Amino acid sequence: MAAAPLVLGRLNESIHQVAGAVVEEVLSRLGHDVLVIDGMHEEMYAQLGAGRIQFFATAWLPHGHGDLWRSVQDRVTEVGMLFDGAQYFWAVPCYVPEAEVWDLADLADPEVMADMASVTVIGADAASGLNRWSTELMQAYGLLEAGWRLQPAHVDDIVANVRRRLAAGDWFVTPTWVPHHLNDVFHLRRLADPLRVFPSPDRASLLAHRASLETLPGRTREVLGRIRFDIDDVNAMDSLVNLDGLAPIGAAREWMAERDSLVRCWLG
């Protein structure tokens, strides 16, 4: 009887999907059958903790997914860092004058609010680190008291809102993050965070259910621990998905073909 496929969980956001697709392709080249499932933050971590999925890409640690990680860390291990420097922030279009909106505190100015197309900020999944820190910064900078609101949604809704508002020439604020193709395509300006509400950059790691990982061949474990790329690589694959219409696995394979020597070093 053939071995059951390894199950790889990913967040249903393209930056996580392309990073996970690299892991999927590596596992396939090592001779493993792989089943990929996408889902929301809490769902993926719960399934990983229960052993229903063997791998998860990518966990933003120690900050972004910190609470979710702590809920499963007795059963889950960090295989290795896939890339470093993942970070959240809020941004405005570059055409919004810096003299009027430079940092997050400026958003509470009634004159600035009057120039905004909306004082509702489109956010991400309610359980995401982005929404957690966005909620905290709204309290820290007095934005809730001033009348701003955060609407949990999906990252696709954030992108759609950015496209719509930029096309209209609106003043608006959006949560965003690196890596993401959004930063290469649209002219957005990061707002300063003088209170340092947003955490320092995270590493984006591959997690595994510990007991499941221990059943795999030593070479598989070693190779998975060697996978490493950077934010520009994620942006490039993310652009292939969102701008060129490739599936995540197609984007990963195209990028890996261009980095053949690097991939061969992973495979040993």
Side-chain angles (χ1 to χ4, degrees):
M1 180 180 295
L6 297 175
V7 183
L8 169 66
R10 308 178 301 194
L11 295 180
N12 55 355
E13 304 169 10
S14 57
I15 59 166
H16 297 284
Q17 290 171 333
V18 295
V22 173
V23 176
E24 176 189 358
E25 179 64 13
V26 168
L27 285 168
S28 295
R29 294 189 188 187
L30 291 171
H32 299 285
D33 291 328
V34 184
L35 173 65
V36 177
I37 61 172
D38 296 325
M40 306 291 276
H41 290 73
E42 290 180 327
E43 173 192 2
M44 288 293 98
Y45 275 89
Q47 292 199 50
L48 180 65
R52 291 191 291 271
I53 62 179
Q54 283 76 55
F55 294 102
F56 171 72
T58 54
W60 284 24
L61 300 174
H63 306 294
H65 298 176
D67 288 345
L68 293 165
W69 160 251
R70 285 184 285 275
S71 72
V72 300
Q73 64 180 353
D74 60 327
R75 291 151 284 159
V76 172
T77 188
E78 188 175 358
V79 178
M81 180 180 72
L82 298 178
F83 63 90
D84 199 10
Q87 192 170 24
Y88 305 119
F89 54 95
W90 276 22
V92 295
C94 285
Y95 52 71
V96 174
E98 294 182 5
E100 297 187 48
V101 185
W102 171 252
D103 63 24
L104 291 163
D106 291 332
L107 297 176
D109 185 326
E111 293 185 4
V112 170
M113 292 178 66
D115 287 332
M116 292 288 170
S118 173
V119 293
T120 296
V121 177
I122 305 300
D125 172 8
S128 68
L130 178 59
N131 260 39
R132 172 188 172 188
W133 301 112
S134 293
T135 298
E136 291 193 14
L137 78 82
M138 293 182 78
Q139 295 171 340
Y141 288 99
L143 303 186
L144 287 173
E145 184 178 356
W148 285 92
R149 295 293 178 265
L150 179 65
Q151 179 181 317
H154 184 268
V155 294
D156 291 345
D157 299 305
I158 294 176
V159 174
N161 182 63
V162 169
R163 290 182 181 275
R164 182 172 63 253
R165 295 298 187 190
L166 285 174
D170 291 339
W171 281 33
F172 68 97
V173 183
T174 184
T176 185
W177 55 95
V178 289
H180 198 285
H181 78 283
L182 205 68
N183 302 300
D184 290 344
V185 176
F186 301 118
H187 298 294
L188 299 174
R189 175 168 54 83
R190 183 186 305 211
L191 295 179
D193 178 17
L195 298 180
R196 298 184 179 180
V197 175
F198 277 122
S200 56
D202 278 326
R203 65 186 182 276
S205 293
L206 173 65
L207 303 184
H209 184 262
R210 185 177 289 109
S212 300
L213 182 65
E214 291 172 353
T215 67
L216 296 179
R219 180 169 182 253
T220 295
R221 299 196 299 269
E222 290 173 4
V223 170
L224 291 176
R226 288 197 290 262
I227 301 174
R228 188 71 56 84
F229 38 89
D230 59 33
I231 281 177
D232 288 341
D233 299 321
V234 182
N235 284 339
M237 290 185 284
D238 196 43
S239 293
L240 289 172
V241 170
N242 289 281
L243 304 181
D244 297 345
L246 271 65
I249 190 63
R253 287 170 177 164
E254 182 167 320
W255 176 82
M256 291 169 74
E258 295 175 354
R259 303 292 190 279
D260 183 62
S261 60
L262 173 64
V263 174
R264 282 190 281 107
C265 286
W266 299 344
L267 295 171

